[in-house]
Amino acid sequence: MNILILGGGGREHALAWAIRQNPKCDRLLVAPGNAGIAQIAECADLDILSRSAVLEFAQENAVDFVVIGPEAPLAAGVADALRAAGFTVFGPSEAAAKLEASKAFTKEICDACGAPTAAWARFDAEGPALDYVRAKGAPIVVKADGLAAGKGVIVAMDLPEAENAIARIFGGAFGEAGAEVVIEEFMTGEEASFFVLSDGERCLPIGTAQDHKRVGEGDTGPNTGGMGAYSPAPVLDEAVQAQVMDEIIRPTIAEMARRGTPFQGVLFAGLMIENGRARLVEYNVRFGDPECQVLMMRLGGQAFDLIQACAEGRLDEVAVNWAGDHAMTVVLAANGYPGDYEKGSRIEGLEGLADDSFQTVFHAGTAEKNGQIIAAGGRVLAATARGESLADARARAYALAEAIDWPGGFYRRDIGHRAL
């Protein structure tokens, strides 16, 4: 099969790494890709938000299957355009992608199907939103309603921080994503991620993970896109997973189908777990990053069989074959991230590093210049490994990270501390 992956981050490198191992994969194309992906696939400079450009590229290259990695092309309706032209696509429709593209929409779905989540309210003007948070007090959570590249959520621990967040969002800090604001109850507990494939009717859980959002060790400092992750998540035991499937996932899938917008793709549920019960924090309609890295490390080549069955409405024909293992990824980020950081610093030491089914380095924000790998983003690499225990996976992942010679970058040295 000729398989096209849209995206160019660590998530897409992990997907490409897993799919490349599947014997069904004859030709692998990734747009736009990155320097690491270019070592295992053909990369193409393509505007993945343009439905016409993606469609033309897929037709010219006789693509059989398309995997859409990031949320933005899904929200732009790229999957719809490809399906309308006869392509098999992994990823939800524009209408179903509203589960991530609009936080208010997700809350409405939860209310309609009875899924447990935080109390909430929505506002399209600054004044009423300020009145609301002043009446409720802090801590409280303020969210830009739309897609804001993972930066539109502010967990305000005091009232001035909440007021400032509202002013910034309505002041245009997140563009159109901030046309409306969703304000939520602050939930306590332990946060974890649950990944489920849905073909529009059936659901198949494919793994759990926990990531470290804060930039600093001990989970301190500002939030980031994720500084590391591990799988499975101990807090998501079998009993909690069963509750999540019964009370959150299946009711959501049923409600989406009832509305005539069935969800097909991966549903990434961010959960808050307290006293053995979970509530929904938010949905994403694609794999997480860096959670995808640990999931693909554990799934390997079977990942494509699962993805294909999901896209073709055959989830009842497949099952996940777990090895009973653990995986961890450690993100290497550019100095200064998540604030201002420099691009273009050279990365040495990548050649000769272990690259097999137990360990590899996924590229996120990298490029190649004159034969040299350089940093081209905030989160740049993800040293990823698996082992019989989380401690084994941790030792391998950190051995990879320590072998990389990059004075322009840094990484946390306590990934997995909650579980270990």
Side-chain angles (χ1 to χ4, degrees), residues 283-415:
Y283 279 131
N284 295 306
V285 299
R286 36 71 190 179
F287 285 105
D289 188 343
E291 295 95 339
C292 187
Q293 286 87 314
V294 289
L295 289 179
M296 293 303 119
M297 177 60 66
R298 295 184 66 208
L299 290 170
Q302 68 170 315
F304 182 70
D305 295 327
L306 301 172
I307 284 171
Q308 183 184 20
C310 176
E312 294 177 355
R314 301 183 291 103
L315 272 184
D316 56 330
E317 298 177 11
V318 294
V320 185
N321 296 313
W322 288 118
D325 56 1
H326 298 254
M328 181 180 289
T329 190
V330 177
V331 170
L332 286 78
N335 291 337
Y337 175 82
D340 293 332
Y341 56 86
E342 286 189 18
K343 295 182 180 180
S345 57
R346 292 174 56 176
I347 304 168
E348 307 279 0
L350 292 171
E351 292 183 9
L353 287 181
D355 179 15
D356 53 40
S357 62
F358 283 91
Q359 60 234 313
T360 195
V361 176
F362 294 119
H363 290 227
T366 63
E368 184 179 338
K369 185 177 181 181
N370 300 324
Q372 176 68 49
I373 302 296
I374 62 169
R379 292 185 299 158
V380 176
L381 299 167
T384 311
R386 67 185 178 101
E388 292 184 4
S389 68
L390 187 58
D392 291 339
R394 183 184 190 278
R396 284 196 178 109
Y398 273 105
L400 284 174
E402 289 162 8
I404 298 168
D405 179 11
W406 182 33
F410 73 99
Y411 56 91
R412 281 182 55 171
R413 297 176 185 272
D414 66 342
I415 301 303

Side-chain angles (χ1 to χ4, degrees), residues 181-236:
V181 164
V182 171
I183 300 175
E184 295 182 4
E185 162 199 4
F186 174 80
M187 292 190 287
T188 57
E190 189 169 353
E191 199 164 351
S193 303
F194 189 42
F195 295 86
V196 179
L197 296 182
S198 171
D199 60 11
E201 297 179 31
R202 292 162 288 266
C203 302
L204 178 68
I206 59 163
T208 66
Q210 284 183 285
D211 74 336
H212 292 263
K213 288 286 189 209
R214 301 281 182 176
V215 72
E217 286 161 22
D219 297 318
T220 57
N223 270 331
T224 71
M227 294 300 296
Y230 52 93
S231 174
V235 70
L236 268 168

Side-chain angles (χ1 to χ4, degrees), residues 91-113:
S93 66
E94 180 179 357
K98 284 187 70 178
L99 281 172
E100 179 169 359
S102 170
K103 295 173 180 65
F105 177 80
T106 291
K107 290 293 188 179
E108 291 170 357
I109 293 290
C110 288
D111 288 350
C113 70

Side-chain angles (χ1 to χ4, degrees), residues 40-295:
I40 61 170
E42 301 171 48
C43 291
D45 185 13
L46 179 66
D47 178 6
I48 64 172
L49 297 182
S50 168
R51 287 178 283 189
S52 59
V54 172
L55 187 57
E56 182 179 352
F57 181 83
Q59 290 168 334
E60 288 177 352
N61 288 275
V63 167
D64 300 298
F65 196 97
V66 183
V67 177
I68 302 179
E71 62 275 19
L74 295 168
V78 172
D80 304 72
L82 287 165
R83 283 197 189 94
F87 289 96
T88 305
V89 184
F90 177 75
S93 66
E94 180 179 357
K98 284 187 70 178
L99 281 172
E100 179 169 359
S102 170
K103 295 173 180 65
F105 177 80
T106 291
K107 290 293 188 179
E108 291 170 357
I109 293 290
C110 288
D111 288 350
C113 70
T117 186
W120 69 289
R122 70 194 293 179
F123 301 92
D124 59 8
E126 185 174 341
L130 290 171
D131 292 341
Y132 183 82
V133 297
R134 288 164 184 159
K136 291 291 183 181
I140 200 162
V141 182
V142 181
K143 299 181 176 182
D145 178 64
L147 294 176
K151 300 178 178 66
V153 177
I154 299 94
V155 180
M157 300 310 293
D158 56 45
L159 194 55
E161 188 179 6
E163 293 171 336
N164 180 59
I166 290 167
R168 285 179 59 231
I169 294 172
F170 280 117
F174 303 106
E176 293 181 6
E180 288 193 349
V181 164
V182 171
I183 300 175
E184 295 182 4
E185 162 199 4
F186 174 80
M187 292 190 287
T188 57
E190 189 169 353
E191 199 164 351
S193 303
F194 189 42
F195 295 86
V196 179
L197 296 182
S198 171
D199 60 11
E201 297 179 31
R202 292 162 288 266
C203 302
L204 178 68
I206 59 163
T208 66
Q210 284 183 285
D211 74 336
H212 292 263
K213 288 286 189 209
R214 301 281 182 176
V215 72
E217 286 161 22
D219 297 318
T220 57
N223 270 331
T224 71
M227 294 300 296
Y230 52 93
S231 174
V235 70
L236 268 168
D237 59 27
E238 288 186 9
V240 177
Q241 288 188 46
Q243 178 244 325
V244 172
M245 289 298 293
D246 290 343
E247 299 182 12
I248 300 175
I249 302 295
R250 290 193 185 97
T252 296
I253 296 302
E255 176 63 19
M256 293 296 287
R258 188 190 69 77
R259 293 176 177 226
T261 54
F263 184 90
Q264 180 268 90
V266 62
L267 196 56
F268 162 12
L271 304 167
M272 189 66 75
I273 299 140
E274 189 173 44
N275 299 322
R277 291 192 61 78
R279 288 197 285 171
L280 182 72
V281 176
E282 64 182 6
Y283 279 131
N284 295 306
V285 299
R286 36 71 190 179
F287 285 105
D289 188 343
E291 295 95 339
C292 187
Q293 286 87 314
V294 289
L295 289 179

